[in-house]
PDB file of all heavy atoms in Angstrom:
ATOM      1  N   THR A  44      91.388 129.734  54.958  1.00 96.00           N
ATOM      2  CA  THR A  44      91.123 131.162  54.794  1.00 96.00           C
ATOM      3  C   THR A  44      90.605 131.354  53.382  1.00 96.00           C
ATOM      4  O   THR A  44      90.875 130.548  52.482  1.00 96.00           O
ATOM      5  CB  THR A  44      92.391 132.013  55.002  1.00 96.00           C
ATOM      6  OG1 THR A  44      93.400 131.592  54.099  1.00 96.00           O
ATOM      7  CG2 THR A  44      92.881 131.924  56.434  1.00 96.00           C
ATOM      8  N   THR A  45      89.847 132.418  53.200  1.00 95.00           N
ATOM      9  CA  THR A  45      89.273 132.725  51.904  1.00 95.00           C
ATOM     10  C   THR A  45      89.186 134.239  51.753  1.00 95.00           C
ATOM     11  O   THR A  45      89.089 134.955  52.747  1.00 95.00           O
ATOM     12  CB  THR A  45      87.883 132.063  51.739  1.00 95.00           C
ATOM     13  OG1 THR A  45      87.319 132.444  50.484  1.00 95.00           O
ATOM     14  CG2 THR A  45      86.936 132.460  52.839  1.00 95.00           C
ATOM     15  N   TYR A  46      89.253 134.699  50.528  1.00 91.00           N
ATOM     16  CA  TYR A  46      89.049 136.121  50.261  1.00 91.00           C
ATOM     17  C   TYR A  46      88.646 136.299  48.806  1.00 91.00           C
ATOM     18  O   TYR A  46      88.899 135.445  47.962  1.00 91.00           O
ATOM     19  CB  TYR A  46      90.286 136.957  50.602  1.00 91.00           C
ATOM     20  CG  TYR A  46      91.474 136.733  49.689  1.00 91.00           C
ATOM     21  CD1 TYR A  46      91.706 137.563  48.599  1.00 91.00           C
ATOM     22  CD2 TYR A  46      92.363 135.696  49.924  1.00 91.00           C
ATOM     23  CE1 TYR A  46      92.788 137.359  47.753  1.00 91.00           C
ATOM     24  CE2 TYR A  46      93.452 135.492  49.098  1.00 91.00           C
ATOM     25  CZ  TYR A  46      93.659 136.330  48.016  1.00 91.00           C
ATOM     26  OH  TYR A  46      94.725 136.120  47.188  1.00 91.00           O
ATOM     27  N   GLN A  47      88.022 137.421  48.548  1.00 90.00           N
ATOM     28  CA  GLN A  47      87.575 137.756  47.202  1.00 90.00           C
ATOM     29  C   GLN A  47      88.764 138.283  46.400  1.00 90.00           C
ATOM     30  O   GLN A  47      89.435 139.220  46.820  1.00 90.00           O
ATOM     31  CB  GLN A  47      86.487 138.816  47.284  1.00 90.00           C
ATOM     32  CG  GLN A  47      86.035 139.318  45.941  1.00 90.00           C
ATOM     33  CD  GLN A  47      85.218 140.582  46.064  1.00 90.00           C
ATOM     34  OE1 GLN A  47      84.640 140.851  47.098  1.00 90.00           O
ATOM     35  NE2 GLN A  47      85.182 141.356  45.001  1.00 90.00           N
ATOM     36  N   THR A  48      89.021 137.678  45.253  1.00 90.00           N
ATOM     37  CA  THR A  48      90.084 138.175  44.379  1.00 90.00           C
ATOM     38  C   THR A  48      89.555 139.349  43.558  1.00 90.00           C
ATOM     39  O   THR A  48      88.346 139.557  43.433  1.00 90.00           O
ATOM     40  CB  THR A  48      90.584 137.073  43.431  1.00 90.00           C
ATOM     41  OG1 THR A  48      89.519 136.691  42.567  1.00 90.00           O
ATOM     42  CG2 THR A  48      91.108 135.866  44.208  1.00 90.00           C
ATOM     43  N   ASP A  49      90.461 140.090  42.960  1.00 89.00           N
ATOM     44  CA  ASP A  49      90.087 141.245  42.144  1.00 89.00           C
ATOM     45  C   ASP A  49      89.304 140.843  40.897  1.00 89.00           C
ATOM     46  O   ASP A  49      88.557 141.648  40.345  1.00 89.00           O
ATOM     47  CB  ASP A  49      91.335 142.027  41.716  1.00 89.00           C
ATOM     48  CG  ASP A  49      92.008 142.713  42.882  1.00 89.00           C
ATOM     49  OD1 ASP A  49      91.343 142.962  43.910  1.00 89.00           O
ATOM     50  OD2 ASP A  49      93.231 143.005  42.771  1.00 89.00           O
ATOM     51  N   GLU A  50      89.461 139.600  40.453  1.00 93.00           N
ATOM     52  CA  GLU A  50      88.800 139.135  39.227  1.00 93.00           C
ATOM     53  C   GLU A  50      87.350 138.703  39.457  1.00 93.00           C
ATOM     54  O   GLU A  50      86.645 138.385  38.508  1.00 93.00           O
ATOM     55  CB  GLU A  50      89.572 137.945  38.625  1.00 93.00           C
ATOM     56  CG  GLU A  50      90.988 138.263  38.179  1.00 93.00           C
ATOM     57  CD  GLU A  50      91.972 138.327  39.338  1.00 93.00           C
ATOM     58  OE1 GLU A  50      91.820 137.576  40.320  1.00 93.00           O
ATOM     59  OE2 GLU A  50      92.907 139.154  39.254  1.00 93.00           O
ATOM     60  N   VAL A  51      86.899 138.669  40.700  1.00 93.00           N
ATOM     61  CA  VAL A  51      85.563 138.158  41.041  1.00 93.00           C
ATOM     62  C   VAL A  51      84.781 139.254  41.756  1.00 93.00           C
ATOM     63  O   VAL A  51      85.321 139.940  42.614  1.00 93.00           O
ATOM     64  CB  VAL A  51      85.691 136.905  41.947  1.00 93.00           C
ATOM     65  CG1 VAL A  51      84.340 136.403  42.395  1.00 93.00           C
ATOM     66  CG2 VAL A  51      86.467 135.810  41.237  1.00 93.00           C
ATOM     67  N   THR A  52      83.506 139.418  41.413  1.00 92.00           N
ATOM     68  CA  THR A  52      82.680 140.416  42.091  1.00 92.00           C
ATOM     69  C   THR A  52      82.357 139.966  43.508  1.00 92.00           C
ATOM     70  O   THR A  52      82.386 138.764  43.811  1.00 92.00           O
ATOM     71  CB  THR A  52      81.354 140.658  41.349  1.00 92.00           C
ATOM     72  OG1 THR A  52      80.565 139.468  41.425  1.00 92.00           O
ATOM     73  CG2 THR A  52      81.580 141.065  39.895  1.00 92.00           C
ATOM     74  N   ALA A  53      82.035 140.929  44.352  1.00 91.00           N
ATOM     75  CA  ALA A  53      81.648 140.600  45.728  1.00 91.00           C
ATOM     76  C   ALA A  53      80.453 139.662  45.728  1.00 91.00           C
ATOM     77  O   ALA A  53      80.421 138.687  46.479  1.00 91.00           O
ATOM     78  CB  ALA A  53      81.342 141.879  46.507  1.00 91.00           C
ATOM     79  N   ALA A  54      79.471 139.935  44.893  1.00 92.00           N
ATOM     80  CA  ALA A  54      78.266 139.094  44.854  1.00 92.00           C
ATOM     81  C   ALA A  54      78.603 137.658  44.449  1.00 92.00           C
ATOM     82  O   ALA A  54      78.121 136.702  45.068  1.00 92.00           O
ATOM     83  CB  ALA A  54      77.230 139.686  43.903  1.00 92.00           C
ATOM     84  N   ALA A  55      79.428 137.479  43.426  1.00 95.00           N
ATOM     85  CA  ALA A  55      79.780 136.128  42.973  1.00 95.00           C
ATOM     86  C   ALA A  55      80.554 135.379  44.046  1.00 95.00           C
ATOM     87  O   ALA A  55      80.285 134.194  44.313  1.00 95.00           O
ATOM     88  CB  ALA A  55      80.585 136.195  41.681  1.00 95.00           C
ATOM     89  N   TYR A  56      81.516 136.043  44.663  1.00 95.00           N
ATOM     90  CA  TYR A  56      82.301 135.426  45.725  1.00 95.00           C
ATOM     91  C   TYR A  56      81.415 135.023  46.900  1.00 95.00           C
ATOM     92  O   TYR A  56      81.472 133.885  47.379  1.00 95.00           O
ATOM     93  CB  TYR A  56      83.402 136.401  46.180  1.00 95.00           C
ATOM     94  CG  TYR A  56      84.035 136.014  47.482  1.00 95.00           C
ATOM     95  CD1 TYR A  56      84.935 134.956  47.557  1.00 95.00           C
ATOM     96  CD2 TYR A  56      83.719 136.693  48.653  1.00 95.00           C
ATOM     97  CE1 TYR A  56      85.518 134.596  48.771  1.00 95.00           C
ATOM     98  CE2 TYR A  56      84.301 136.344  49.861  1.00 95.00           C
ATOM     99  CZ  TYR A  56      85.194 135.296  49.915  1.00 95.00           C
ATOM    100  OH  TYR A  56      85.754 134.933  51.117  1.00 95.00           O
ATOM    101  N   GLU A  57      80.602 135.947  47.378  1.00 95.00           N
ATOM    102  CA  GLU A  57      79.764 135.665  48.548  1.00 95.00           C
ATOM    103  C   GLU A  57      78.714 134.612  48.263  1.00 95.00           C
ATOM    104  O   GLU A  57      78.458 133.744  49.100  1.00 95.00           O
ATOM    105  CB  GLU A  57      79.150 136.968  49.063  1.00 95.00           C
ATOM    106  CG  GLU A  57      80.211 137.891  49.646  1.00 95.00           C
ATOM    107  CD  GLU A  57      79.683 139.191  50.204  1.00 95.00           C
ATOM    108  OE1 GLU A  57      78.477 139.498  50.042  1.00 95.00           O
ATOM    109  OE2 GLU A  57      80.486 139.915  50.841  1.00 95.00           O
ATOM    110  N   HIS A  58      78.119 134.620  47.069  1.00 96.00           N
ATOM    111  CA  HIS A  58      77.143 133.578  46.711  1.00 96.00           C
ATOM    112  C   HIS A  58      77.812 132.210  46.660  1.00 96.00           C
ATOM    113  O   HIS A  58      77.242 131.219  47.131  1.00 96.00           O
ATOM    114  CB  HIS A  58      76.461 133.898  45.380  1.00 96.00           C
ATOM    115  CG  HIS A  58      75.357 134.888  45.499  1.00 96.00           C
ATOM    116  ND1 HIS A  58      74.061 134.541  45.805  1.00 96.00           N
ATOM    117  CD2 HIS A  58      75.360 136.231  45.395  1.00 96.00           C
ATOM    118  CE1 HIS A  58      73.313 135.616  45.873  1.00 96.00           C
ATOM    119  NE2 HIS A  58      74.079 136.670  45.630  1.00 96.00           N
ATOM    120  N   ALA A  59      79.016 132.135  46.087  1.00 97.00           N
ATOM    121  CA  ALA A  59      79.730 130.855  46.025  1.00 97.00           C
ATOM    122  C   ALA A  59      80.028 130.335  47.421  1.00 97.00           C
ATOM    123  O   ALA A  59      79.820 129.147  47.709  1.00 97.00           O
ATOM    124  CB  ALA A  59      81.020 131.016  45.226  1.00 97.00           C
ATOM    125  N   LEU A  60      80.496 131.199  48.285  1.00 97.00           N
ATOM    126  CA  LEU A  60      80.815 130.798  49.651  1.00 97.00           C
ATOM    127  C   LEU A  60      79.577 130.279  50.380  1.00 97.00           C
ATOM    128  O   LEU A  60      79.588 129.187  50.961  1.00 97.00           O
ATOM    129  CB  LEU A  60      81.430 131.980  50.407  1.00 97.00           C
ATOM    130  CG  LEU A  60      81.959 131.719  51.804  1.00 97.00           C
ATOM    131  CD1 LEU A  60      83.050 130.664  51.799  1.00 97.00           C
ATOM    132  CD2 LEU A  60      82.476 133.026  52.418  1.00 97.00           C
ATOM    133  N   VAL A  61      78.483 131.028  50.308  1.00 97.00           N
ATOM    134  CA  VAL A  61      77.255 130.618  50.997  1.00 97.00           C
ATOM    135  C   VAL A  61      76.671 129.354  50.369  1.00 97.00           C
ATOM    136  O   VAL A  61      76.174 128.475  51.080  1.00 97.00           O
ATOM    137  CB  VAL A  61      76.233 131.783  51.021  1.00 97.00           C
ATOM    138  CG1 VAL A  61      74.858 131.310  51.457  1.00 97.00           C
ATOM    139  CG2 VAL A  61      76.740 132.891  51.942  1.00 97.00           C
ATOM    140  N   GLU A  62      76.759 129.232  49.060  1.00 97.00           N
ATOM    141  CA  GLU A  62      76.261 128.018  48.397  1.00 97.00           C
ATOM    142  C   GLU A  62      77.055 126.789  48.850  1.00 97.00           C
ATOM    143  O   GLU A  62      76.480 125.745  49.138  1.00 97.00           O
ATOM    144  CB  GLU A  62      76.353 128.178  46.877  1.00 97.00           C
ATOM    145  CG  GLU A  62      75.749 127.015  46.127  1.00 97.00           C
ATOM    146  CD  GLU A  62      75.743 127.266  44.627  1.00 97.00           C
ATOM    147  OE1 GLU A  62      75.177 128.285  44.205  1.00 97.00           O
ATOM    148  OE2 GLU A  62      76.305 126.430  43.895  1.00 97.00           O
ATOM    149  N   ASP A  63      78.377 126.910  48.894  1.00 98.00           N
ATOM    150  CA  ASP A  63      79.206 125.784  49.352  1.00 98.00           C
ATOM    151  C   ASP A  63      78.905 125.433  50.805  1.00 98.00           C
ATOM    152  O   ASP A  63      78.801 124.256  51.163  1.00 98.00           O
ATOM    153  CB  ASP A  63      80.689 126.110  49.190  1.00 98.00           C
ATOM    154  CG  ASP A  63      81.143 126.148  47.739  1.00 98.00           C
ATOM    155  OD1 ASP A  63      80.421 125.630  46.859  1.00 98.00           O
ATOM    156  OD2 ASP A  63      82.226 126.711  47.485  1.00 98.00           O
ATOM    157  N   LEU A  64      78.760 126.436  51.656  1.00 98.00           N
ATOM    158  CA  LEU A  64      78.415 126.183  53.059  1.00 98.00           C
ATOM    159  C   LEU A  64      77.047 125.509  53.172  1.00 98.00           C
ATOM    160  O   LEU A  64      76.881 124.538  53.910  1.00 98.00           O
ATOM    161  CB  LEU A  64      78.424 127.488  53.858  1.00 98.00           C
ATOM    162  CG  LEU A  64      79.796 128.141  54.045  1.00 98.00           C
ATOM    163  CD1 LEU A  64      79.642 129.592  54.484  1.00 98.00           C
ATOM    164  CD2 LEU A  64      80.636 127.355  55.036  1.00 98.00           C
ATOM    165  N   GLY A  65      76.082 126.017  52.433  1.00 97.00           N
ATOM    166  CA  GLY A  65      74.727 125.454  52.457  1.00 97.00           C
ATOM    167  C   GLY A  65      74.675 124.013  51.979  1.00 97.00           C
ATOM    168  O   GLY A  65      73.907 123.202  52.492  1.00 97.00           O
ATOM    169  N   ALA A  66      75.514 123.672  50.994  1.00 97.00           N
ATOM    170  CA  ALA A  66      75.536 122.303  50.469  1.00 97.00           C
ATOM    171  C   ALA A  66      76.030 121.306  51.508  1.00 97.00           C
ATOM    172  O   ALA A  66      75.767 120.107  51.395  1.00 97.00           O
ATOM    173  CB  ALA A  66      76.414 122.239  49.217  1.00 97.00           C
ATOM    174  N   HIS A  67      76.726 121.780  52.528  1.00 97.00           N
ATOM    175  CA  HIS A  67      77.261 120.910  53.577  1.00 97.00           C
ATOM    176  C   HIS A  67      76.536 121.096  54.909  1.00 97.00           C
ATOM    177  O   HIS A  67      77.051 120.684  55.951  1.00 97.00           O
ATOM    178  CB  HIS A  67      78.759 121.179  53.769  1.00 97.00           C
ATOM    179  CG  HIS A  67      79.570 120.688  52.618  1.00 97.00           C
ATOM    180  ND1 HIS A  67      80.081 119.416  52.551  1.00 97.00           N
ATOM    181  CD2 HIS A  67      79.927 121.289  51.463  1.00 97.00           C
ATOM    182  CE1 HIS A  67      80.718 119.254  51.424  1.00 97.00           C
ATOM    183  NE2 HIS A  67      80.646 120.379  50.735  1.00 97.00           N
ATOM    184  N   THR A  68      75.347 121.697  54.857  1.00 97.00           N
ATOM    185  CA  THR A  68      74.624 122.000  56.086  1.00 97.00           C
ATOM    186  C   THR A  68      73.182 121.522  55.975  1.00 97.00           C
ATOM    187  O   THR A  68      72.457 121.969  55.076  1.00 97.00           O
ATOM    188  CB  THR A  68      74.627 123.528  56.350  1.00 97.00           C
ATOM    189  OG1 THR A  68      75.968 124.015  56.268  1.00 97.00           O
ATOM    190  CG2 THR A  68      74.043 123.851  57.710  1.00 97.00           C
ATOM    191  N   PRO A  69      72.739 120.644  56.867  1.00 96.00           N
ATOM    192  CA  PRO A  69      71.323 120.274  56.871  1.00 96.00           C
ATOM    193  C   PRO A  69      70.460 121.513  57.099  1.00 96.00           C
ATOM    194  O   PRO A  69      70.923 122.521  57.633  1.00 96.00           O
ATOM    195  CB  PRO A  69      71.196 119.313  58.063  1.00 96.00           C
ATOM    196  CG  PRO A  69      72.586 118.905  58.399  1.00 96.00           C
ATOM    197  CD  PRO A  69      73.496 119.995  57.934  1.00 96.00           C
ATOM    198  N   ASP A  70      69.217 121.444  56.694  1.00 96.00           N
ATOM    199  CA  ASP A  70      68.294 122.575  56.839  1.00 96.00           C
ATOM    200  C   ASP A  70      68.164 122.957  58.317  1.00 96.00           C
ATOM    201  O   ASP A  70      67.741 122.133  59.133  1.00 96.00           O
ATOM    202  CB  ASP A  70      66.928 122.203  56.260  1.00 96.00           C
ATOM    203  CG  ASP A  70      65.993 123.385  56.195  1.00 96.00           C
ATOM    204  OD1 ASP A  70      66.484 124.524  56.066  1.00 96.00           O
ATOM    205  OD2 ASP A  70      64.763 123.169  56.292  1.00 96.00           O
TER     206      ASP A  70
END
Side-chain angles (χ1 to χ4, degrees):
T44 57
T45 177
Y46 69 95
Q47 175 194 337
T48 64
D49 292 337
E50 297 78 34
V51 176
T52 67
Y56 165 75
E57 292 181 353
H58 280 273
L60 186 60
V61 168
E62 185 175 304
D63 290 344
L64 292 164
H67 289 271
T68 309
D70 188 29

